[in-house]
Amino acid sequence: MSFHPEIFLQQIVNGLVLGSIYALVALGYTMVYGILGLINFAHGEVVMIGALTALSVILALHGAAPDLPAALYILAGTLVAIPVTMTLGYTIERVAYRPLRNAPRLAPLITAIGVSIVLQNVALLVWGRSYHPWPPILPTTPHTFLGANITDLQIFIVAGAAAIMAGLTLLVNKTKLGRAMRATAENPAVAGLMGVNVNVIISITFVIGAALGAVAGVMVSANYQIAHYYMGFILGLKAFTAAVLGGIGNLAGAMLGGLLLGLIESLGAGYIGDLTGGFLGSHYQDVFAFFVLILVLVFRPSGLVGERVAERA
Amino acid sequence: MLARLRKNPAAKWLGLALVAAALAVLPFAVEATAGRGWVRIIDFALLYIMLALGLNIVVGFAGLLDLGYIAFYAVGAYMWALLASPHLTANFPAFAAMFPGGLHFPIWTMIPLGAALAAVFGVLLGAPTLRLRGDYLAIVTLGFGEIIRIFLNNLNAPVNITNGPQGITKIDPFSIFGVPFNKPLAVFGLNIPPVTLYYYLFLLLVVAIIFISLRLEDSRIGRAWVAIREDEIAAKAMGINTRNVKLLAFAMGATFGGVAGGLFAGFQGFVSPESFTLLESIMVLSMVVLGGMGHVPGVVLGAVLLATLPEAIRYTVVPAQKFLFDRQVIDPESLRMLLFGLALILVMLYRPAGLWPSQVRKREFAAAEKAGRVEPEQFPDRTDASEGARL
């Protein structure tokens, strides 16, 4: 089996695109975990609802006015999806997590699974079981770069994700709100004594995470040109893996973990056939994320940039 | 009333005899009133009781949240499917040469084999996760469950081991003392249909598993599991070998899953990866949580409720919708899952100890309520991984 540099480069490009999306979703997990120490199991479903809402808006708009520029459709879809998922994020926190803040740790995890099932089946009732394809609004002619193909959409995804992550980093590190969030993550009781309204901060964290999820949902469905009610589960799981890989609770870690996982998956799926002599094929792509997750949790539970090795995770 | 029963051995035995008699005639009564389809539903409820009791050992007794439990069910089912169907001999000449009469292992070898193999998988899964707790453990076990399903789905090429998404068909039905379970059996002029034969077999095993669970709960090991659930460090300090005891919980819980899986394969005559999705794991978990984690009668109640109620909904919702809207508005399957999700949320919010909790759990929750809190800290305990977590 000979090595083709242009195929390798193409896998890197695909991996970076995928990784940017994972990173955005992973930020939603990591922010909530950083503040509450809780896995928001339903986050993947929030992303799914964001994607389907945006797609419905895009389809409706495309039906009404088919000749607008592609960016306008996507912008409109995203602008509708963001408030929807924000409301959803707020409601989930209020209904399912806040009453259980003092309960044993298993309790919020189980309600989170419950919320996830409910959202999935609500989406099933609203959008049905079928796969919803995107309308043909995106330019498909790729740019060629050292033999690898990059579409406008892929450039947009990577650049957009980078801009959002930079914005979020500024928000958390430089603003008053960010300071309150960091204080709450450090110690909620003391932050409360210092005049931080902890409940509001927690709500805001959920809402920001959900908004990022909506953007990621639009990106992932645009990337695959398809959206369906079941897309949130596996995406959420991979994004969670990315968050753990980078060090859960750490913003930079989520971004790094997302990109790394995207690359691992894309290169792994591309080369597993050659490595195992054809025994395992690219349909094992989904297994990589799980193996990475298990390996990280077993050997380095604090993740790549986590601060302290956990005694008992 | 119950307390008096416990003190009076004669009344206790009489009560047990009455329950046994009721269970013995149950399939006939159900068949006469609701039709044979419902006997089949009860058979499945019995399988779910086995699964729920197995998961109860891991989640309820030892407090280890396992979201990949259905993998052990799959291991048991696929083992049975491979050792009692023409699949292996048809695809591998070596097997055909070894077993010229075809692979037909009897039930006596299959139940212990399935239990043992599932236990091995339980230890394999348990060993790398020993250091993990709570949500991390849940996610890793979920990952394991999905990995097993993905492999079952894809191991049909280049070597056809599991036959991929099509699954394995033509699995031998059970046969005990030469009595095949796929034909009606005539006893004293009474014609017992196959579903009822399966009912008795499953009932027998459920009784055995309930007995084992109850004895385990009161044993030294059972108390060690509960100690780990309540406080692992304290348990260690009391001299419990937490590593071995946790591995034992995984192995023991997996055993029940493996047996149930084998029975499922023989009962259906067909297995495919479709039956072993994450949703099934969550369904079994819902049974344990809804009934009352760690309380055997509660878990049995939870399993019976969640296995039969959705079927009842299916039988009432579809005609009701036809009547009200003249067409089917809501797909009964998604309604079923919707209700599962809501049940999980509502039970956790309003009855965190479950519908029928054990006395100990009830006392613990009541005491916590009185004190106005369950955990000593105001926020979830942060002595674990999240300690390294900073925004």
Side-chain angles (χ1 to χ4, degrees):
Chain A
M1 189 67 206
S2 57
F3 179 77
H4 300 286
E6 64 276 17
I7 293 180
F8 181 72
L9 198 65
Q10 185 70 56
Q11 305 282 19
I12 299 264
V13 168
N14 295 346
L16 282 179
V17 173
L18 212 55
S20 311
I21 298 168
Y22 290 162
L24 277 190
V25 185
L27 283 173
Y29 281 100
T30 228
M31 285 169 63
V32 168
Y33 199 95
I35 285 193
L36 278 182
L38 162 99
I39 297 174
N40 180 9
F41 221 101
H43 189 55
E45 314 307 331
V46 172
V47 174
M48 173 269 294
I49 297 227
L52 281 166
T53 311
L55 183 56
S56 298
V57 171
I58 291 170
L59 282 171
L61 198 61
H62 187 254
D67 294 318
L68 299 174
L72 207 62
Y73 293 116
I74 297 181
L75 191 69
T78 314
L79 285 183
V80 176
I82 287 177
V84 170
T85 58
M86 280 174 142
T87 319
L88 209 55
Y90 177 78
T91 316
I92 292 173
E93 198 270 331
R94 266 322 271 272
V95 173
Y97 300 151
R98 190 172 295 182
L100 292 171
R101 217 173 274 162
N102 303 324
R105 297 204 65 173
L106 231 52
L109 189 63
I110 291 170
T111 47
I113 295 170
V115 169
S116 170
I117 299 175
V118 167
L119 288 181
Q120 212 177 78
N121 285 283
V122 167
L124 184 60
L125 292 176
V126 175
W127 283 283
R129 232 170 250 284
S130 53
Y131 285 65
H132 298 275
W134 269 56
I137 51 171
L138 296 164
T140 45
T141 40
H143 308 280
T144 311
F145 173 73
L146 291 178
N149 291 331
I150 308 177
T151 61
D152 283 345
L153 177 72
Q154 288 177 316
I155 296 174
F156 167 75
I157 288 177
V158 174
I164 289 174
M165 288 190 265
L168 187 70
T169 311
L170 280 180
L171 174 81
V172 169
N173 289 322
K174 298 287 178 205
T175 64
K176 205 173 165 189
L177 173 66
R179 202 185 315 146
M181 286 166 75
R182 281 179 288 138
T184 309
E186 195 80 28
N187 189 327
V190 176
L193 291 176
M194 298 296 125
V196 175
N197 190 337
V198 173
N199 280 333
V200 170
I201 294 297
I202 290 173
S203 287
I204 290 178
T205 309
F206 269 84
V207 166
I208 294 177
L212 295 179
V215 177
V218 175
M219 286 178 174
V220 76
S221 69
N223 190 37
Y224 291 113
Q225 291 286 299
I226 218 156
H228 58 109
Y229 82 100
Y230 200 62
M231 64 188 276
F233 164 63
I234 199 93
L235 180 67
L237 217 59
K238 286 179 179 171
F240 174 76
T241 305
V244 172
L245 176 62
I248 194 152
N250 185 309
L251 288 187
M255 303 173 197
L256 179 71
L259 288 177
L260 261 179
L261 188 70
L263 288 174
I264 291 173
E265 248 190 50
S266 156
L267 291 175
Y271 289 104
I272 187 175
D274 298 345
L275 289 176
T276 57
F279 183 70
L280 301 175
S282 58
H283 42 260
Y284 284 93
Q285 184 178 4
D286 289 348
V287 172
F288 290 111
F290 296 123
F291 272 120
V292 168
L293 178 67
I294 291 165
L295 289 178
V296 172
L297 283 180
V298 170
F299 291 108
R300 202 178 154 78
S302 60
L304 295 175
V305 290
E307 282 164 24
R308 201 185 306 174
V309 177
E311 254 297 286
R312 310 165 10 195
Chain B
M1 161 88 177
L2 272 174
R4 217 185 65 221
L5 272 184
R6 263 188 213 112
K7 282 192 193 112
N8 187 342
K12 187 176 142 193
W13 286 112
L14 186 70
L16 274 180
L18 281 177
V19 171
L23 286 174
V25 296
L26 180 70
F28 295 99
V30 167
E31 194 181 336
T33 52
R36 198 165 285 175
W38 272 93
V39 183
R40 201 178 148 76
I41 291 169
I42 291 174
D43 287 358
F44 271 104
L46 289 171
L47 284 178
Y48 276 118
I49 293 177
M50 294 181 212
L51 285 175
L53 284 173
L55 186 62
N56 181 46
I57 289 184
V58 186
V59 179
F61 291 170
L64 307 162
L65 185 55
D66 184 348
L67 285 182
Y69 185 70
I70 213 70
F72 306 126
Y73 191 48
V75 165
Y78 266 86
M79 193 210 71
W80 196 305
L82 289 174
L83 291 185
S85 78
H87 179 78
L88 280 184
T89 45
N91 282 290
F92 297 92
F95 276 105
M98 261 195 296
F99 302 95
L103 274 167
H104 300 287
F105 277 77
I107 187 167
W108 309 117
T109 55
M110 297 289 249
I111 289 183
L113 257 181
L117 188 69
V120 169
F121 270 83
V123 172
L124 282 181
L125 186 154
T129 58
L130 281 174
R131 290 167 57 197
L132 309 174
R133 275 170 60 103
D135 9 19
Y136 273 26
L137 179 69
I139 297 282
V140 170
T141 49
L142 187 157
F144 269 114
E146 284 295 290
I147 286 176
I148 290 208
R149 194 182 58 81
I150 293 173
F151 270 91
L152 289 178
N153 218 356
N154 290 311
L155 274 180
N156 54 343
V159 189
N160 189 353
I161 301 171
T162 65
N163 207 21
Q166 285 89 36
I168 296 172
T169 51
K170 286 188 232 156
I171 301 168
D172 292 350
F174 301 124
S175 119
I176 293 179
F177 299 127
V179 178
F181 272 46
N182 56 342
K183 291 189 196 74
L185 179 69
V187 188
F188 307 122
L190 197 64
N191 221 356
I192 306 178
V195 272
T196 309
L197 287 174
Y198 278 110
Y199 168 83
Y200 288 122
L201 175 68
F202 292 176
L203 186 66
L204 206 68
L205 283 160
V206 163
V207 169
I209 284 178
I210 290 178
F211 181 73
I212 295 171
S213 287
L214 286 172
R215 299 301 293 164
L216 272 176
E217 190 180 1
D218 293 334
S219 71
R220 208 182 153 79
I221 297 167
R223 277 178 280 130
W225 283 334
V226 173
I228 287 180
R229 179 186 77 199
E230 296 301 323
D231 190 331
E232 192 169 337
I233 294 177
K236 220 175 205 164
M238 300 316 278
I240 293 170
N241 184 338
T242 52
R243 185 196 62 200
N244 290 1
V245 171
K246 275 162 101 174
L247 280 182
L248 198 62
F250 274 115
M252 204 61 225
T255 305
F256 294 175
V259 171
L263 296 176
F264 169 74
F267 180 46
Q268 288 273 72
F270 163 73
V271 292
S272 79
E274 282 268 290
S275 313
F276 310 108
T277 57
L278 176 72
L279 282 182
E280 288 288 315
S281 283
I282 288 175
M283 183 156 152
V284 178
L285 179 70
S286 315
M287 290 167 178
V288 176
V289 172
L290 183 78
M293 279 188 273
H295 190 224
V296 172
V299 171
V300 173
L301 174 76
V304 171
L305 277 182
L306 283 190
T308 53
L309 272 186
E311 302 296 331
I313 290 172
R314 197 195 303 263
Y315 278 96
T316 50
V317 162
V318 177
Q321 286 187 31
K322 291 247 161 71
F323 179 72
L324 285 175
F325 308 109
D326 237 10
R327 67 195 168 91
Q328 187 173 318
V329 183
I330 297 175
D331 164 33
E333 174 62 24
S334 69
L335 185 70
R336 186 174 80 125
M337 290 316 295
L338 206 62
L339 290 177
F340 269 162
L342 283 177
L344 280 183
I345 299 171
L346 294 177
V347 167
M348 273 300 124
L349 288 181
Y350 298 109
R351 277 195 79 103
L355 291 180
W356 188 359
S358 62
Q359 290 301 315
V360 181
R361 285 292 258 197
K362 224 193 223 155
R363 265 206 307 277
E364 280 170 14
F365 273 92
E369 199 118 293
K370 217 179 218 168
R373 61 205 171 150
V374 175
E375 293 278 276
E377 296 106 308
Q378 200 207 334
F379 275 79
D381 106 68
R382 303 176 66 94
T383 52
D384 46 22
S386 64
E387 198 157 345
R390 298 283 183 270
L391 263 179

